[in-house]
């Protein structure tokens, strides 16, 4: 349910930004076809009635990211959410940290 996800994403944006994130972006795929070896749909084992969501948050540094993420993940607005009724399958979610090598 994209509307339910959008509502949750807006809350996530509010929480991360209030705790110091510099930018917060969530996007829904509109052109992510299966590849020959790998792709977004293959990476998440996308089902027929699903869409891929891609998100990123910008921080000043890795230390800043760790501090902000800890605050956000302990925020009562997130910890009180019913994880059984999330509008996505958290078991197929993946994340990581990236360091910029080119920025324009």
């Amino acid at each position: 349910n994209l509307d339910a996800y959008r509502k949750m994403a807006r809350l996530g944006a509010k929480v991360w930004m209030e705790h110091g994130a510099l930018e917060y972006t969530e996007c829904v795929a509109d052109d992510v076809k299966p590849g020959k070896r790998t792709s977004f749909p293959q990476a998440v084992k996308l089902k027929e009635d699903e869409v891929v969501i891609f998100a990123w948050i910008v921080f000043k540094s890795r230390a800043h990211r760790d501090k902000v993420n800890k605050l956000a993940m302990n925020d009562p607005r997130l910890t009180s959410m019913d994880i059984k009724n999330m509008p996505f399958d958290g078991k197929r979610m993946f994340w990581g940290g990236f360091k910029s090598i080119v920025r324009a």
Side-chain angles (χ1 to χ4, degrees):
N1 181 331
L2 197 51
D3 288 332
Y5 188 87
R6 188 176 287 117
K7 181 179 178 182
M8 189 188 70
R10 283 188 187 116
L11 174 62
K14 182 177 175 112
V15 169
W16 260 270
M17 294 301 289
E18 286 179 9
H19 287 298
L22 303 179
E23 296 176 36
Y24 184 103
T25 305
E26 296 213 29
C27 308
V28 63
D30 70 352
D31 184 23
V32 290
K33 296 169 185 65
K36 292 186 180 191
R37 292 199 173 101
T38 191
S39 64
F40 281 107
Q42 289 158 282
V44 298
K45 298 181 180 169
L46 192 67
K47 297 174 186 168
E48 182 111 1
D49 63 339
E50 296 178 324
V51 295
V52 173
I53 301 288
F54 180 78
W56 71 92
I57 306 170
V58 177
F59 303 97
K60 295 176 192 175
S61 64
R62 185 174 182 171
H64 179 242
R65 177 200 71 191
D66 293 347
K67 178 183 171 188
V68 172
N69 279 346
K70 184 176 182 178
L71 291 169
M73 295 305 290
N74 288 306
D75 189 293
R77 293 170 289 182
L78 298 184
T79 59
S80 65
M81 294 176 89
D82 180 7
I83 61 170
K84 292 179 183 169
N85 290 315
M86 291 290 176
F88 63 90
D89 181 355
K91 293 179 185 141
R92 291 167 33 215
M93 185 174 157
F94 54 95
W95 56 89
F98 294 84
K99 186 175 184 178
S100 293
I101 58 171
V102 173
R103 191 167 184 163

